[in-house]
Every structure is written in structure tokens, then in C-alpha cells.
């Protein structure tokens, strides 16, 4: 029997009850699976991740984590919100690091304060994770002393140390220079190999091909197409997906000259 760690049924999200951002989204995520969401800007990808993490309320529908309802339409309060965010970690494109704390302090703050774990144990785990992403020597540095790529790797470590069931990654390379993108994506690829359950929003199509078990294409708040990376990128079924993918295909000077 397939174990779905996360299930979403008929989710609708709007702003002011007028502008519908997500329209009847149903989705499930298996343990150890990596799902990548792609689509044009404004199609609702990032909003969907924020709904999963309870950073955004939903109008209708239901979200279940390990079979337990964690969000339901018109719900205004949930005493378990902090517990849910520990189980569904999220990494943003803006890093969200505290500038007045060292890298090690940024990483260890939540496990010690929120999870009430022993500081010594948390520091040891933090150092191991920093070593894994190649940043152990930066543990006593401050965020301002790191490059964008390094800060994003720290943000990933900060989420991992909470031992989440699922990791949400929202355009984590969008604010980076091209040369810094690879070092961040390599960390995510390693997490995927290790069986981390992830839902990822990205505009990096080559990365999506490499890391995804499934690709979901969103447009105007709906899931338009869902398939394996190979099928989606090589033989998309819908005309809208074909149009979207064509925006990433550019003719080279040689191609133009050959046509002439």
C-alpha cells in the first residue's frame, strides 16, 4: 500500500473572496518523493506551498498530514500551527536569517527554544549538517559575511535540524547569481538521494528534470498537467505546457544563420 504522507483535496484559496489564486487543487505526496511545481509567474505555485505550511489560510478543501487534518476551509485558528511547521519545514528565497546572530546560533535557536532539545546535542548536529553542506568553517561567521549561496545553504540546514517530515523549497535560487545556483541545487540533489520528502517550486528547468519524481504544471491556479520529468519535458500533453516550455528554448546564432 502506498503511503501518502501529505494529502490535499479540493483546495481553494482566494484573496478577499474575489481573486481566486488556487482553484480546486487536489494533490498527494508519498514518503520519500520529490515533487516539483513549475508554471508561469503568478500561477499560484508559491501560494500553494504557503498553504501547506499554514502560512496562508484556505477558503475550502482539506489538507492532511500523516492522515491527520491540519487545515480545513474557513478555519481561523489552529493551536498546533507551530507543531505543523516543525513537521513541514520551509525554505524561502530570502533566507530569513537573523543578522545579529552567528550561523551556528541561527541554526540552533529553534531546536533549543521550540523543541526544548539539549543545546550541546543540537550544536553537534548543526556542525554535522554544516560540514555536509561545506560550511562548517563558517559556523562563527555572521550572515553578512556569507555569499547568497552560502546563506541559502544555511537556511536549508536550519530547516533540516528540526527533522521535518516534509521540506518545502520556494524558489530558493531566485535571488542568487548564476554561479551560486549550482552549489545550492547540489545540496538539494543530495537530500533527494537520501530520501528526503520534498515539494519544490522552481524556474530552474534542468534542476527540475534532475531532482523530480513528478512534475506538476500549474496555470491560472489549476494543475494543468502532471507527469514524470521525462514525459513532461520531452512530450508534454497539453498545448499550454508546450507553450510554457517553449519559452525556455532559444535559438542560437548558428541556428539562425543555418535557417538563412
Amino acid at each position: 500500500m502506498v503511503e501518502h504522507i501529505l494529502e490535499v483535496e479540493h483546495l481553494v484559496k482566494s484573496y478577499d473572496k474575489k481573486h481566486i489564486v488556487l482553484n480546486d487543487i487536489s494533490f498527494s505526496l508519498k514518503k520519500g518523493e520529490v515533487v516539483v511545481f513549475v508554471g508561469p509567474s503568478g500561477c499560484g505555485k508559491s501560494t500553494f506551498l504557503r498553504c501547506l505550511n499554514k502560512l496562508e489560510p484556505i477558503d475550502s478543501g482539506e489538507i492532511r498530514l500523516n492522515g491527520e487534518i491540519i487545515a480545513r476551509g474557513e478555519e481561523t485558528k489552529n493551536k498546533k500551527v507551530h507543531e505543523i511547521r516543525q513537521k513541514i519545514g520551509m525554505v524561502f528565497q530570502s533566507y530569513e536569517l537573523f543578522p545579529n546572530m552567528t550561523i551556528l546560533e541561527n541554526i540552533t535557536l529553534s531546536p533549543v527554544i521550540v523543541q526544548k532539545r539539549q543545546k550541546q546535542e543540537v550544536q553537534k548536529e548543526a556542525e554535522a549538517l554544516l560540514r555536509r553542506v561545506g560550511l562548517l568553517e563558517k559556523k562563527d561567521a555572521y550572515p553578512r559575511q556569507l555569499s547568497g549561496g552560502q546563506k541559502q545553504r544555511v537556511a536549508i540546514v536550519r530547516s533540516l535540524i528540526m527533522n521535518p517530515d516534509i521540506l518545502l523549497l520556494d524558489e530558493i535560487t531566485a535571488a542568487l547569481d548564476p554561479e551560486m545556483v549550482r552549489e545550492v541545487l547540489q545540496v538539494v540533489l543530495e537530500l533527494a538521494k537520501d530520501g528526503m520528502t520534498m515539494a519544490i517550486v522552481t524556474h530552474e528547468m534542468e534542476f527540475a528534470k534532475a531532482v523530480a519524481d513528478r512534475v506538476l504544471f500549474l496555470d491560472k491556479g489549476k494543475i494543468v498537467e502532471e507527469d514524470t520529468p521525462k514525459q513532461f519535458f520531452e512530450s508534454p500533453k497539453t498545448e499550454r505546457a508546450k507553450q510554457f516550455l517553449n519559452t525556455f528554448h532559444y535559438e542560437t546564432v548558428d541556428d539562425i544563420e543555418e535557417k538563412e
Side-chain angles (χ1 to χ4, degrees):
M1 183 176 178
V2 175
E3 181 184 355
H4 288 108
I5 190 170
L6 183 72
E7 296 168 287
V8 178
E9 291 187 357
H10 305 296
L11 185 150
V12 174
K13 166 68 183 175
S14 67
Y15 292 113
D16 300 323
K17 303 294 182 181
K18 296 177 181 178
H19 177 55
I20 297 177
V21 183
L22 298 167
N23 192 357
D24 196 25
I25 298 288
S26 292
F27 161 79
S28 60
L29 183 64
K30 293 182 290 185
K31 187 175 179 62
E33 186 179 28
V34 179
V35 173
V36 174
F37 295 88
V38 300
S41 296
C43 70
K45 306 183 300 294
S46 294
T47 300
F48 183 57
L49 291 195
R50 292 174 65 85
C51 288
L52 298 180
N53 191 246
K54 293 191 68 66
L55 289 169
E56 294 279 359
I58 63 176
D59 293 84
S60 62
E62 193 171 275
I63 302 173
R64 296 190 297 274
L65 176 66
N66 293 318
E68 179 183 355
I69 296 171
I70 62 170
R72 184 176 273 162
E74 302 297 340
E75 187 180 71
T76 57
K77 293 183 180 180
N78 191 316
K79 295 180 180 179
K80 294 184 177 181
V81 65
H82 295 298
E83 181 182 331
I84 290 165
R85 289 178 186 162
Q86 291 176 53
K87 294 179 179 179
I88 305 179
M90 189 161 182
V91 183
F92 305 87
Q93 67 181 55
S94 55
Y95 324 128
E96 305 290 343
L97 300 177
F98 295 110
N100 61 326
M101 293 184 175
T102 66
I103 298 309
L104 191 61
E105 289 169 341
N106 263 281
I107 294 169
T108 58
L109 180 66
S110 288
V112 172
I113 300 298
V114 178
Q115 295 181 329
K116 309 298 183 185
R117 292 162 59 186
Q118 291 295 319
K119 188 174 182 178
Q120 187 174 5
E121 168 217 331
V122 173
Q123 285 184 341
K124 185 176 180 181
E125 184 177 348
E127 289 175 356
L129 287 168
L130 284 171
R131 183 181 293 108
R132 180 177 176 181
V133 300
L135 291 175
L136 181 59
E137 75 281 1
K138 300 291 186 181
K139 69 176 184 177
D140 296 319
Y142 288 86
R144 65 178 180 275
Q145 298 172 300
L146 272 60
S147 69
Q150 290 172 329
K151 283 187 277 192
Q152 196 57 283
R153 281 184 278 165
V154 171
I156 292 171
V157 166
R158 185 182 54 187
S159 287
L160 290 176
I161 202 166
M162 301 296 284
N163 298 312
D165 293 336
I166 301 169
L167 192 60
L168 310 178
L169 306 173
D170 184 20
E171 292 285 11
I172 60 171
T173 61
L176 302 180
D177 293 333
E179 61 188 20
M180 297 178 184
V181 169
R182 181 174 292 275
E183 63 189 41
V184 174
L185 297 186
Q186 187 58 46
V187 171
V188 179
L189 285 167
E190 291 298 324
L191 290 175
K193 289 178 182 177
D194 289 346
M196 185 75 209
T197 307
M198 291 184 281
I200 302 170
V201 166
T202 185
H203 279 108
E204 298 283 344
M205 295 299 108
E206 292 301 321
F207 170 60
K209 289 180 189 178
V211 74
D213 294 306
R214 275 189 296 149
V215 175
L216 277 73
F217 173 63
L218 273 69
D219 187 44
K220 297 179 180 178
K222 288 181 174 288
I223 296 175
V224 176
E225 191 162 337
E226 177 180 351
D227 220 321
T228 64
K230 180 177 176 61
Q231 183 66 37
F232 177 75
F233 288 107
E234 294 182 7
S235 304
K237 296 183 178 70
T238 62
E239 190 60 34
R240 184 64 187 94
K242 291 175 184 176
Q243 292 171 356
F244 172 75
L245 291 174
N246 281 339
T247 64
F248 294 92
H249 299 156
Y250 301 97
E251 291 184 311
T252 65
V253 173
D254 289 341
D255 290 333
I256 296 171
E257 289 177 348
E258 284 178 10
K259 288 182 179 179
E260 293 175 346

